[in-house]
Amino acid sequence: MNEMSNPFQGTGDVCCGDQKGLGEHGLLPLAAAEINFHLLEPLIPAVSARILKASSETLDEVIRSSLQEIIQLLGLDRGGLLKVSEGPGKVVVSHAWYDKGVEVVSSEIDLSLLFPWSYHQLVAQGETVGITSLGFLPANAETDKQSFVEWGVKSSLTIPLLIGQRIHHLIAVNSFKEEWSWPEPFITYLRLVGEIFVSALERRDILRSLEIYQARLDVAAASAHVGLWEFDLVTGKIWATNSAKELFYLVPEDQLTFTTLLEKIHPEDRSSVADAVEQARDLGMEVQVEYRVPGPDGAIRWLISRGRVQQNGASAA
Protein backbone atom coordinates (compact mmCIF):
# COMPACT_ATOMS: atom_id res chain seq x y z
CA MET A 1 0.00 0.00 0.00
CA ASN A 2 1.43 3.40 -0.93
CA GLU A 3 1.35 6.45 1.29
CA MET A 4 -1.49 8.22 -0.50
CA SER A 5 -3.81 5.23 -0.10
CA ASN A 6 -3.45 4.95 3.69
CA PRO A 7 -6.17 7.00 5.48
CA PHE A 8 -4.38 6.62 8.83
CA GLN A 9 -1.00 7.84 7.60
CA GLY A 10 0.65 9.80 10.42
CA THR A 11 -2.18 9.24 12.92
CA GLY A 12 -2.87 5.54 13.41
CA ASP A 13 -1.50 3.40 16.20
CA VAL A 14 -1.93 -0.28 15.38
CA CYS A 15 1.22 -1.99 14.12
CA CYS A 16 1.13 -5.27 12.30
CA GLY A 17 3.40 -7.23 10.00
CA ASP A 18 7.08 -6.37 9.84
CA GLN A 19 6.79 -3.40 12.24
CA LYS A 20 9.02 -1.14 10.15
CA GLY A 21 7.11 1.96 11.18
CA LEU A 22 3.74 1.69 9.49
CA GLY A 23 1.98 -1.59 9.06
CA GLU A 24 -1.42 -1.80 7.47
CA HIS A 25 -3.02 0.61 9.90
CA GLY A 26 -0.52 3.49 9.83
CA LEU A 27 1.98 5.23 12.08
CA LEU A 28 1.90 5.55 15.84
CA PRO A 29 0.49 8.75 17.38
CA LEU A 30 3.09 11.40 17.97
CA ALA A 31 1.73 11.96 21.50
CA ALA A 32 2.62 8.44 22.69
CA ALA A 33 5.83 7.99 24.65
CA GLU A 34 8.31 5.55 23.16
CA ILE A 35 9.22 2.59 25.35
CA ASN A 36 12.90 2.68 26.36
CA PHE A 37 14.15 -0.38 24.51
CA HIS A 38 17.75 0.27 25.62
CA LEU A 39 16.81 -1.03 29.08
CA LEU A 40 15.93 -4.46 27.72
CA GLU A 41 19.06 -5.20 25.69
CA PRO A 42 21.53 -5.75 28.57
CA LEU A 43 19.03 -8.02 30.37
CA ILE A 44 18.89 -10.60 27.59
CA PRO A 45 22.22 -12.38 28.31
CA ALA A 46 21.40 -12.65 32.02
CA VAL A 47 17.90 -13.99 31.32
CA SER A 48 19.31 -16.50 28.84
CA ALA A 49 21.91 -17.72 31.35
CA ARG A 50 19.27 -18.21 34.07
CA ILE A 51 17.01 -20.12 31.71
CA LEU A 52 19.85 -22.44 30.64
CA LYS A 53 20.69 -23.21 34.26
CA ALA A 54 17.08 -23.84 35.29
CA SER A 55 16.00 -27.40 35.96
CA SER A 56 12.72 -28.84 34.72
CA GLU A 57 11.26 -28.21 38.18
CA THR A 58 12.41 -24.58 38.47
CA LEU A 59 11.94 -23.44 34.86
CA ASP A 60 8.41 -22.06 35.31
CA GLU A 61 9.42 -19.93 38.27
CA VAL A 62 12.54 -18.67 36.49
CA ILE A 63 10.40 -17.57 33.53
CA ARG A 64 7.95 -15.76 35.84
CA SER A 65 10.73 -14.01 37.76
CA SER A 66 12.37 -12.97 34.48
CA LEU A 67 9.07 -11.54 33.26
CA GLN A 68 8.77 -9.59 36.52
CA GLU A 69 12.26 -8.15 36.17
CA ILE A 70 11.66 -7.08 32.56
CA ILE A 71 8.20 -5.60 33.09
CA GLN A 72 9.13 -3.69 36.22
CA LEU A 73 12.27 -2.30 34.61
CA LEU A 74 10.27 -1.02 31.63
CA GLY A 75 7.58 0.53 33.81
CA LEU A 76 4.81 -1.68 32.39
CA ASP A 77 2.02 -3.32 34.35
CA ARG A 78 1.45 -6.81 33.03
CA GLY A 79 3.14 -9.31 30.76
CA GLY A 80 3.37 -12.95 30.04
CA LEU A 81 3.53 -15.94 27.77
CA LEU A 82 0.31 -17.10 26.14
CA LYS A 83 0.07 -20.68 24.92
CA VAL A 84 -1.57 -21.26 21.55
CA SER A 85 -3.32 -24.61 21.18
CA GLU A 86 -2.84 -26.62 18.05
CA GLY A 87 -5.94 -27.07 15.92
CA PRO A 88 -9.08 -25.08 16.83
CA GLY A 89 -8.01 -21.72 18.18
CA LYS A 90 -7.46 -21.41 21.91
CA VAL A 91 -5.07 -19.07 23.70
CA VAL A 92 -4.46 -19.22 27.45
CA VAL A 93 -1.99 -17.67 29.89
CA SER A 94 0.87 -20.04 30.72
CA HIS A 95 3.28 -17.70 32.57
CA ALA A 96 2.63 -14.14 33.69
CA TRP A 97 3.54 -11.35 36.08
CA TYR A 98 1.15 -8.61 37.28
CA ASP A 99 1.88 -5.33 38.97
CA LYS A 100 0.13 -4.58 42.24
CA GLY A 101 -3.57 -3.93 41.71
CA VAL A 102 -3.66 -5.39 38.19
CA GLU A 103 -6.31 -8.05 37.64
CA VAL A 104 -4.95 -11.58 37.25
CA VAL A 105 -6.10 -13.37 34.10
CA SER A 106 -7.19 -16.94 34.79
CA SER A 107 -5.43 -19.67 32.83
CA GLU A 108 -8.90 -21.06 32.12
CA ILE A 109 -9.91 -18.05 29.99
CA ASP A 110 -9.68 -18.52 26.23
CA LEU A 111 -8.25 -15.20 25.11
CA SER A 112 -8.98 -15.89 21.44
CA LEU A 113 -12.67 -15.31 22.23
CA LEU A 114 -12.01 -11.96 23.91
CA PHE A 115 -9.59 -10.77 21.23
CA PRO A 116 -10.69 -12.36 17.93
CA TRP A 117 -9.19 -9.66 15.70
CA SER A 118 -5.83 -9.86 17.47
CA TYR A 119 -5.96 -13.66 17.32
CA HIS A 120 -6.44 -13.56 13.56
CA GLN A 121 -3.55 -11.12 13.09
CA LEU A 122 -1.21 -13.04 15.40
CA VAL A 123 -1.99 -16.70 14.74
CA ALA A 124 -3.59 -16.79 11.29
CA GLN A 125 -1.41 -14.07 9.75
CA GLY A 126 1.69 -14.45 11.96
CA GLU A 127 1.89 -10.68 12.49
CA THR A 128 2.97 -8.71 15.54
CA VAL A 129 0.20 -6.55 17.00
CA GLY A 130 1.33 -3.35 18.69
CA ILE A 131 -1.47 -1.14 19.99
CA THR A 132 -0.58 2.29 21.31
CA SER A 133 -4.07 3.80 21.59
CA LEU A 134 -7.36 1.90 21.61
CA GLY A 135 -9.00 4.73 19.70
CA PHE A 136 -7.31 3.71 16.48
CA LEU A 137 -8.26 0.04 16.46
CA PRO A 138 -10.10 -0.83 13.21
CA ALA A 139 -13.87 -1.17 13.13
CA ASN A 140 -13.70 -4.97 12.96
CA ALA A 141 -11.74 -5.06 16.23
CA GLU A 142 -14.64 -3.84 18.37
CA THR A 143 -14.66 -6.98 20.53
CA ASP A 144 -10.93 -6.58 21.18
CA LYS A 145 -11.40 -2.93 22.06
CA GLN A 146 -14.19 -3.72 24.52
CA SER A 147 -12.03 -6.38 26.23
CA PHE A 148 -9.10 -3.97 26.52
CA VAL A 149 -11.37 -1.27 27.97
CA GLU A 150 -12.90 -3.65 30.53
CA TRP A 151 -9.44 -4.68 31.70
CA GLY A 152 -8.16 -1.12 31.77
CA VAL A 153 -5.43 -1.62 29.15
CA LYS A 154 -4.20 1.54 27.41
CA SER A 155 -1.38 0.07 25.28
CA SER A 156 -0.50 -3.47 24.33
CA LEU A 157 2.18 -5.33 22.39
CA THR A 158 1.83 -9.00 21.41
CA ILE A 159 4.37 -10.97 19.39
CA PRO A 160 3.88 -14.46 17.85
CA LEU A 161 6.57 -17.04 18.66
CA LEU A 162 7.13 -19.98 16.35
CA ILE A 163 8.43 -23.49 16.87
CA GLY A 164 8.94 -25.00 13.47
CA GLN A 165 6.12 -23.70 11.28
CA ARG A 166 3.53 -23.27 14.05
CA ILE A 167 2.74 -20.30 16.29
CA HIS A 168 3.42 -22.03 19.61
CA HIS A 169 3.20 -19.13 22.08
CA LEU A 170 2.68 -15.38 22.15
CA ILE A 171 4.58 -12.96 24.36
CA ALA A 172 2.56 -9.93 25.45
CA VAL A 173 3.09 -6.80 27.54
CA ASN A 174 0.43 -4.29 28.63
CA SER A 175 0.37 -0.78 30.02
CA PHE A 176 -2.51 0.38 32.23
CA LYS A 177 -1.23 3.83 33.18
CA GLU A 178 -0.16 5.48 29.92
CA GLU A 179 0.12 5.00 26.19
CA TRP A 180 3.36 3.68 24.75
CA SER A 181 4.68 3.28 21.22
CA TRP A 182 6.66 0.15 20.41
CA PRO A 183 9.83 0.79 18.34
CA GLU A 184 11.24 -1.94 16.14
CA PRO A 185 14.38 -2.58 18.30
CA PHE A 186 12.18 -3.20 21.34
CA ILE A 187 10.00 -5.64 19.41
CA THR A 188 13.13 -7.48 18.27
CA TYR A 189 14.50 -7.72 21.82
CA LEU A 190 11.19 -8.83 23.31
CA ARG A 191 10.76 -11.45 20.58
CA LEU A 192 14.23 -12.78 21.42
CA VAL A 193 13.30 -13.05 25.11
CA GLY A 194 10.12 -14.90 24.17
CA GLU A 195 12.04 -17.30 21.94
CA ILE A 196 14.43 -18.04 24.80
CA PHE A 197 11.47 -18.89 27.06
CA VAL A 198 9.67 -21.01 24.47
CA SER A 199 12.80 -22.92 23.43
CA ALA A 200 13.41 -23.86 27.06
CA LEU A 201 9.80 -25.01 27.49
CA GLU A 202 9.99 -27.05 24.30
CA ARG A 203 13.28 -28.62 25.43
CA ARG A 204 11.69 -29.57 28.75
CA ASP A 205 8.69 -31.12 26.98
CA ILE A 206 11.01 -33.22 24.84
CA LEU A 207 13.01 -34.39 27.86
CA ARG A 208 9.84 -35.29 29.73
CA SER A 209 8.56 -37.23 26.72
CA LEU A 210 11.85 -39.12 26.57
CA GLU A 211 11.65 -39.89 30.29
CA ILE A 212 8.12 -41.26 29.86
CA TYR A 213 9.23 -43.29 26.84
CA GLN A 214 12.19 -44.75 28.72
CA ALA A 215 9.98 -45.60 31.70
CA ARG A 216 7.64 -47.50 29.40
CA LEU A 217 10.59 -49.32 27.84
CA ASP A 218 11.86 -50.24 31.28
CA VAL A 219 8.49 -51.69 32.27
CA ALA A 220 8.21 -53.67 29.04
CA ALA A 221 11.79 -54.91 29.25
CA ALA A 222 11.49 -55.88 32.91
CA SER A 223 8.28 -57.77 32.20
CA ALA A 224 10.03 -59.75 29.44
CA HIS A 225 13.24 -60.16 31.50
CA VAL A 226 15.28 -58.41 28.81
CA GLY A 227 17.27 -55.21 28.56
CA LEU A 228 17.62 -52.76 25.71
CA TRP A 229 20.81 -50.89 24.88
CA GLU A 230 22.16 -48.85 22.00
CA PHE A 231 25.82 -48.35 21.16
CA ASP A 232 26.91 -45.24 19.25
CA LEU A 233 29.79 -46.40 17.08
CA VAL A 234 31.01 -42.83 16.62
CA THR A 235 31.10 -41.60 20.22
CA GLY A 236 31.50 -44.96 21.96
CA LYS A 237 28.66 -44.09 24.34
CA ILE A 238 25.87 -46.51 25.24
CA TRP A 239 22.27 -45.74 26.07
CA ALA A 240 20.60 -48.50 28.09
CA THR A 241 17.35 -49.12 29.89
CA ASN A 242 17.54 -49.58 33.63
CA SER A 243 16.73 -53.29 33.24
CA ALA A 244 19.71 -53.65 30.87
CA LYS A 245 22.01 -51.99 33.39
CA GLU A 246 20.76 -54.37 36.09
CA LEU A 247 21.80 -57.33 33.93
CA PHE A 248 25.37 -55.98 34.11
CA TYR A 249 25.12 -55.34 37.85
CA LEU A 250 24.90 -51.58 37.34
CA VAL A 251 22.61 -49.00 38.90
CA PRO A 252 20.44 -46.59 36.84
CA GLU A 253 22.79 -43.65 37.51
CA ASP A 254 25.82 -45.40 36.01
CA GLN A 255 27.06 -44.06 32.67
CA LEU A 256 28.04 -46.63 30.05
CA THR A 257 30.62 -46.71 27.29
CA PHE A 258 31.64 -49.73 25.25
CA THR A 259 34.89 -49.88 27.21
CA THR A 260 33.13 -50.01 30.59
CA LEU A 261 30.67 -52.56 29.21
CA LEU A 262 33.48 -54.87 28.12
CA GLU A 263 34.98 -54.57 31.61
CA LYS A 264 31.78 -56.08 33.01
CA ILE A 265 32.04 -59.09 30.68
CA HIS A 266 34.07 -62.20 31.52
CA PRO A 267 37.64 -61.72 30.22
CA GLU A 268 37.40 -64.87 28.07
CA ASP A 269 34.29 -63.54 26.28
CA ARG A 270 35.29 -59.94 25.62
CA SER A 271 36.94 -60.59 22.27
CA SER A 272 33.88 -62.44 20.92
CA VAL A 273 31.64 -59.50 21.90
CA ALA A 274 34.00 -56.99 20.32
CA ASP A 275 34.22 -59.15 17.17
CA ALA A 276 30.43 -59.32 16.93
CA VAL A 277 30.18 -55.52 17.08
CA GLU A 278 32.87 -55.18 14.40
CA GLN A 279 31.06 -57.70 12.22
CA ALA A 280 27.76 -55.84 12.55
CA ARG A 281 29.45 -52.55 11.67
CA ASP A 282 31.48 -53.84 8.71
CA LEU A 283 28.92 -56.18 7.15
CA GLY A 284 25.70 -54.44 8.20
CA MET A 285 24.23 -57.75 9.30
CA GLU A 286 22.34 -58.79 12.40
CA VAL A 287 24.56 -60.53 14.92
CA GLN A 288 24.07 -62.59 18.06
CA VAL A 289 26.63 -63.23 20.76
CA GLU A 290 26.50 -65.17 24.01
CA TYR A 291 28.73 -64.19 26.92
CA ARG A 292 29.17 -64.31 30.69
CA VAL A 293 28.89 -61.49 33.21
CA PRO A 294 30.47 -62.20 36.63
CA GLY A 295 28.53 -60.85 39.59
CA PRO A 296 29.97 -59.15 42.69
CA ASP A 297 29.53 -62.43 44.62
CA GLY A 298 31.33 -64.44 41.96
CA ALA A 299 28.19 -65.90 40.43
CA ILE A 300 28.10 -66.11 36.63
CA ARG A 301 25.22 -64.66 34.61
CA TRP A 302 24.84 -65.85 31.02
CA LEU A 303 23.52 -63.26 28.56
CA ILE A 304 22.66 -63.23 24.86
CA SER A 305 22.79 -59.97 22.87
CA ARG A 306 21.29 -59.48 19.44
CA GLY A 307 21.66 -56.37 17.34
CA ARG A 308 22.37 -54.70 14.02
CA VAL A 309 23.69 -51.39 12.74
CA GLN A 310 21.23 -48.61 12.07
CA GLN A 311 22.40 -45.58 10.13
CA ASN A 312 21.69 -42.20 11.70
CA GLY A 313 22.72 -39.53 9.20
CA ALA A 314 26.47 -39.64 8.77
CA SER A 315 26.94 -41.82 11.87
CA ALA A 316 25.82 -45.27 12.85
CA ALA A 317 24.52 -46.77 16.06
Side-chain angles (χ1 to χ4, degrees):
M1 180 178 294
N2 59 41
E3 293 185 6
M4 293 300 294
S5 63
N6 189 343
F8 293 101
Q9 184 73 21
T11 59
D13 76 327
V14 180
C15 293
C16 302
D18 62 8
Q19 291 289 313
K20 292 180 180 177
L22 297 179
E24 178 184 354
H25 302 281
L27 289 169
L28 304 173
L30 298 178
E34 185 175 270
I35 198 78
N36 188 350
F37 61 86
H38 297 289
L39 295 173
L40 184 54
E41 182 181 10
L43 272 182
I44 295 176
V47 168
S48 179
R50 286 199 298 266
I51 292 294
L52 287 173
K53 292 178 181 178
S55 65
S56 294
E57 293 73 25
T58 63
L59 179 59
D60 293 319
E61 182 54 37
V62 171
I63 290 176
R64 278 189 286 266
S65 63
S66 297
L67 284 168
Q68 177 180 356
E69 182 178 9
I70 291 167
I71 296 165
Q72 285 184 319
L73 182 65
L74 294 169
L76 299 172
D77 305 294
R78 179 174 70 189
L81 278 180
L82 314 178
K83 186 173 183 179
V84 180
S85 298
E86 195 168 7
K90 186 176 182 181
V91 179
V92 297
V93 175
S94 64
H95 304 76
W97 181 82
Y98 306 84
D99 198 4
K100 185 177 180 180
V102 174
E103 181 180 356
V104 174
V105 180
S106 169
S107 60
E108 301 297 320
I109 295 176
D110 182 358
L111 298 174
S112 69
L113 301 178
L114 298 179
F115 303 93
W117 177 84
S118 297
Y119 175 83
H120 177 77
Q121 298 295 324
L122 291 158
V123 179
Q125 301 297 325
E127 296 183 338
T128 293
V129 174
I131 302 169
T132 294
S133 175
L134 303 184
F136 287 94
L137 279 165
N140 60 343
E142 186 59 33
T143 301
D144 297 56
K145 181 178 180 180
Q146 181 179 350
S147 299
F148 281 127
V149 169
E150 289 178 357
W151 280 353
V153 174
K154 290 190 174 182
S155 289
S156 174
L157 174 66
T158 309
I159 303 170
L161 304 170
L162 285 81
I163 291 183
Q165 299 299 314
R166 186 173 80 83
I167 306 297
H168 202 273
H169 280 76
L170 311 172
I171 187 167
V173 291
N174 300 149
S175 174
F176 289 70
K177 300 182 182 72
E178 57 186 304
E179 294 181 348
W180 292 99
S181 66
W182 314 104
E184 176 66 24
F186 176 73
I187 294 170
T188 299
Y189 294 148
L190 189 62
R191 179 184 289 111
L192 178 56
V193 169
E195 289 171 348
I196 291 170
F197 292 159
V198 172
S199 294
L201 292 169
E202 177 73 0
R203 185 169 62 250
R204 183 179 67 178
D205 289 345
I206 292 172
L207 289 174
R208 286 179 172 176
S209 296
L210 288 174
E211 289 170 357
I212 293 171
Y213 178 68
Q214 178 162 347
R216 289 173 178 170
L217 281 178
D218 285 337
V219 171
S223 300
H225 303 290
V226 299
L228 304 175
W229 56 282
E230 182 178 277
F231 172 38
D232 190 317
L233 295 172
V234 176
T235 66
K237 295 181 179 179
I238 292 178
W239 168 86
T241 61
N242 291 337
S243 54
K245 291 181 178 181
E246 290 175 3
L247 293 175
F248 291 93
Y249 299 101
L250 299 169
V251 297
E253 294 75 23
D254 287 335
Q255 300 298 312
L256 268 179
T257 65
F258 190 57
T259 300
T260 57
L261 184 71
L262 286 177
E263 291 173 353
K264 290 292 182 179
I265 296 173
H266 194 286
E268 295 179 1
D269 299 334
R270 291 172 186 170
S271 61
S272 60
V273 173
D275 290 344
V277 172
E278 290 293 321
Q279 189 177 29
R281 183 183 64 185
D282 295 341
L283 302 179
M285 60 184 291
E286 183 172 318
V287 296
Q288 174 178 310
V289 61
E290 187 173 347
Y291 51 92
R292 293 162 289 176
V293 176
D297 58 356
I300 296 294
R301 177 175 288 171
W302 283 89
L303 301 179
I304 296 176
S305 289
R306 298 185 181 92
R308 60 184 176 185
V309 171
Q310 181 176 358
Q311 294 293 330
N312 181 19
S315 62

